[in-house]
């Protein structure tokens, strides 16, 4: 049972028992609840906080927890049908209009939705809590809270020390970047949103890898951009087709994930790294480098290539980096790097949208990455990801040998599986969920129709390796009826 389910169950139990108390009556002390229900003090604290947020109990420091006075429950429901017209009323279209304003966040929400506790999660987008450096994060947060000025307003661009750390982490100690080239953002998704909105005008094309991260496609479409797919092969994006796409669309932005690409796991080859930068420079275009998996290399991975931004003196590459994947979903700290006028455009839009990233989070990130615990965590994470990938591949080889990828990635958190022709991947996903395993269909990773059926399996979202093996068995039972 995970922590969130323990809190939910305890809150439900306490909620039902409140009927036995009169208004204002004191509930048992936290220590008594810990003993009675066999849970941790943290679980009790969070369950009480849940009830307090619902207005069912009140907490009085030093006195205890009391049943709150009953509040009127009558709620008047108005008529909101008028909103359908208002939200659909677009101004007259021009040739550059991107179409209706409806937003599709299906691909994003799939990776953010937490399945029920009884379901094996092979779909999520973030590593399980057991892979997060919770002790190091707690210590960093405590130290940050004691720093003078932690609750004061930070610079719009971010704390200079954190910007300097990102510059060294991305460009290397003697690379082309310094603190003045870095903008601190609220995680990688915020950085992608800022980059696309700042660098491309609404209605214009933006070149993307195919397949690609659904969250980026959602950002592009929400910004009124037209994603144009450029296919991949085993070496990464096909630069012959990239050159053709630049020529035919005159796009000024190409978004790519050169390292452990999501979802294929591909690493852009050395030859194509040079070609991508040269093609973009010749087209007068930016390369937005989403380096989300830099800290997710497995323990047996070969030496990873440097970021494209580390080899770019001309400001062609706008780099996106985040601490979130390797640390915690709630440590929403990322960075954008750019050179020249592009940085000023990014800075202005970031200030308009968010003002600044909360200083306590920035101070916590500084404390974390500057501690010996960070390096230890990254080593442990690399080993754990290697073991989980190996377990998932072994389970697939035994139960579903036809789905084992030919060249599984040595980084990232997932495998990209080609399904048999004719497989209805959405029906399979629904069937798998009924069998108790959550998987991700491949269709949301393509800008239009998928050329073949795929599944993405995450190996980092379960509590351990045993659940990976059980998840594959459940997937086998779901898939078997669909085989010819």
């Amino acid at each position: 049972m995970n922590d969130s389910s323990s809190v939910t169950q305890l809150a439900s139990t306490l909620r039902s028992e409140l009927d036995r108390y009169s208004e204002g009556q004191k509930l048992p002390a936290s220590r008594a609840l810990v003993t009675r229900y066999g849970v941790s003090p943290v679980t009790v604290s969070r369950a009480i906080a849940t009830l307090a947020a619902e207005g069912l109990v009140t907490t009085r420091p030093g006195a205890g927890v009391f049943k709150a006075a009953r509040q009127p429950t009558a709620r008047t429901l108005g008529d909101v049908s008028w909103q359908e017209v208002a939200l659909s009323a677009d101004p007259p279209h021009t040739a550059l209009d991107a179409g209706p304003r409806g937003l599709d966040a299906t691909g994003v929400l799939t990776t953010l939705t937490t399945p029920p506790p009884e379901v094996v999660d092979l779909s999520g987008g973030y590593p399980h809590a057991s892979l997060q450096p919770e002790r190091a994060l707690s210590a960093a947060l405590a130290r940050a809270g004691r720093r003078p000025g932690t609750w004061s307003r930070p610079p719009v661009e971010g704390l200079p020390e954190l910007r300097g750390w990102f510059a060294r982490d991305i460009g290397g100690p003697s690379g082309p970047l310094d603190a003045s080239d870095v903008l601190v953002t609220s995680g990688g998704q915020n950085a992608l949103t800022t980059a696309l909105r700042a660098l491309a005008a609404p209605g214009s094309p933006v070149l993307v890898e195919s397949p690609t991260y659904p969250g980026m496609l959602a950002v592009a479409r929400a910004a009124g951009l037209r994603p144009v797919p450029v296919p991949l092969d085993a070496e990464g994006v096909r630069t012959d087709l990239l050159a053709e796409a630049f020529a035919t669309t005159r796009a000024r932005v190409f978004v790519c994930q050169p390292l452990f690409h999501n979802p294929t796991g591909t690493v852009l080859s050395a030859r194509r790294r040079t070609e991508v930068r040269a093609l973009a420079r010749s087209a007068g275009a930016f390369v937005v480098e989403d380096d989300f998996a830099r800290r997710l290399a497995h323990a047996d991975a070969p030496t990873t290539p440097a970021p494209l931004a580390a080899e770019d003196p001309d400001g062609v590459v706008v780099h996106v980096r985040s601490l979130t994947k390797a640390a915690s979903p709630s440590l929403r700290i990322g960075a954008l790097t750019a050179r020249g006028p592009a940085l000023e455009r990014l800075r202005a839009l970031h200030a308009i949208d968010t003002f600044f990233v909360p200083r306590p989070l920035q101070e916590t990130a500084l404390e974390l990455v500057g501690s010996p615990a960070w390096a230890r965590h990254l080593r442990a994470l690399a080993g754990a990801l290697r073991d989980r990938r190996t377990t998932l591949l072994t389970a697939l080889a035994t139960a579903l040998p036809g789905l084992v990828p030919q060249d599984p990635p040595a980084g990232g958190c997932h495998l990209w599986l080609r399904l048999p022709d004719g497989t209805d991947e959405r029906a399979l996903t629904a069937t798998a969920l009924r069998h108790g395993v959550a998987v991700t269909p491949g269709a949301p990773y393509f800008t239009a129709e998928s050329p073949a059926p795929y599944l993405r399996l995450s190996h980092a979202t379960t509590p351990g390796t045993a659940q990976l093996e059980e998840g594959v068995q459940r997937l086998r039972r779901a898939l078997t009826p669909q085989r010819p």
Side-chain angles (χ1 to χ4, degrees):
M1 182 184 300
N2 58 43
D3 292 340
S4 61
S5 64
S6 298
V7 172
T8 301
Q9 290 181 10
L10 179 59
S12 177
T13 300
L14 295 178
R15 194 181 292 112
S16 64
E17 291 187 353
L18 282 175
D19 291 337
R20 299 193 290 111
Y21 294 84
S22 58
E23 293 181 6
Q25 185 177 354
K26 185 177 180 179
L27 274 65
S30 294
R31 185 176 299 177
L33 295 176
V34 167
T35 302
R36 179 184 301 178
Y37 297 108
V39 295
S40 70
V42 173
T43 297
V44 170
S45 176
R46 290 178 176 171
I48 293 295
T50 298
L51 299 186
E54 295 172 358
L56 299 177
V57 300
T58 59
T59 58
R60 303 174 193 169
V65 180
F66 302 82
K67 181 176 178 178
R70 187 178 300 274
Q71 300 294 324
T73 58
R75 183 182 175 206
T76 302
L77 298 178
D79 179 7
V80 298
S81 58
W82 64 271
Q83 294 185 6
E84 185 174 354
V85 177
L87 293 173
S88 303
D90 287 330
H93 294 313
T94 68
L96 293 180
D97 276 335
R101 292 181 290 169
L103 301 180
D104 182 4
T106 304
V108 177
L109 294 175
T110 297
T111 61
L112 294 178
T113 301
T114 302
E118 65 274 12
V119 173
V120 177
D121 184 7
L122 302 184
S123 178
Y126 292 102
H128 188 265
S130 61
L131 298 177
Q132 298 166 18
E134 289 192 347
R135 183 174 298 179
L137 282 165
S138 297
L141 180 61
R143 293 193 302 270
R146 295 191 294 268
R147 284 187 171 210
T150 289
W151 290 98
S152 62
R153 181 174 65 81
V156 170
E157 303 85 356
L159 297 180
E161 302 91 339
L162 186 57
R163 297 170 71 199
W165 181 85
F166 271 119
R168 294 187 297 275
D169 190 53
I170 296 168
S174 58
L177 300 173
D178 60 29
S180 65
D181 301 317
V182 177
L183 181 69
V184 177
T185 67
S186 297
Q189 188 74 3
N190 174 239
L192 281 173
T193 300
T194 301
L196 290 185
R197 289 181 59 207
L199 301 177
S204 63
V206 56
L207 306 186
V208 301
E209 296 164 313
S210 183
T212 192
Y213 166 51
M216 190 279 299
L217 294 176
V219 166
R221 288 167 176 151
L225 305 177
R226 296 186 291 110
V228 177
V230 183
L232 305 173
D233 62 18
E235 292 187 67
V237 66
R238 293 227 353 228
T239 46
D240 58 330
L241 298 180
L242 180 63
E244 182 179 340
F246 272 129
T248 57
T249 67
R250 299 187 179 181
R252 291 294 181 262
V253 177
F254 168 52
V255 187
C256 65
Q257 295 178 333
L259 184 64
F260 305 131
H261 170 267
N262 180 14
T264 67
T266 303
V267 177
L268 189 63
S269 68
R271 175 176 62 86
R272 291 191 184 176
R273 288 165 57 86
T274 301
E275 292 175 349
V276 165
R277 290 195 306 272
L279 287 169
R281 183 69 182 87
S282 177
F286 292 98
V287 174
V288 176
E289 179 184 21
D290 181 7
D291 202 19
F292 80 102
R294 178 64 51 175
R295 299 303 178 202
L296 301 179
H298 302 174
D300 56 354
T303 302
T304 55
L308 298 179
E311 303 166 347
D312 169 46
D314 299 327
V316 172
V317 179
V318 173
H319 186 91
V320 174
R321 174 74 59 88
S322 173
L323 296 176
T324 303
K325 290 284 189 186
S328 165
S330 290
L331 189 66
R332 310 281 324 156
I333 292 291
L336 269 172
T337 73
R339 307 284 296 280
L343 181 62
E344 290 306 308
R345 178 79 64 86
L346 295 167
R347 176 181 179 273
L349 185 58
H350 181 64
I352 291 169
D353 283 349
T354 63
F355 284 8
F356 47 78
V357 176
R359 183 163 185 156
L361 271 184
Q362 295 192 55
E363 297 281 9
T364 299
L366 266 176
E367 289 286 353
L368 177 66
V369 299
S371 70
W374 179 239
R376 291 196 298 270
H377 164 65
L378 292 178
R379 289 194 295 270
L381 180 62
L385 292 177
R386 173 201 57 203
D387 295 344
R388 285 164 173 263
R389 181 205 71 215
T390 300
T391 298
L392 184 56
L393 286 170
T394 301
L396 285 171
T398 301
L400 296 166
L403 300 188
V404 177
Q406 289 186 340
D407 189 18
C413 299
H414 51 263
L415 299 178
W416 185 239
L417 309 184
R418 171 68 156 82
L419 296 171
D421 289 337
T423 302
D424 184 338
E425 61 184 44
R426 293 190 181 276
L428 171 59
T429 301
T431 303
L433 192 59
R434 290 195 295 272
H435 281 79
V437 58
V439 296
T440 306
Y445 293 82
F446 293 90
T447 58
E449 292 79 11
S450 171
Y454 290 92
L455 283 184
R456 197 193 76 157
L457 299 188
S458 173
H459 53 70
T461 47
T462 62
T465 54
Q467 291 82 5
L468 293 174
E469 296 171 335
E470 175 61 24
V472 170
Q473 290 300 320
R474 296 181 184 186
L475 178 61
R476 178 187 61 79
R477 292 194 290 271
L479 185 60
T480 299
Q482 295 211 12
R483 284 182 163 177

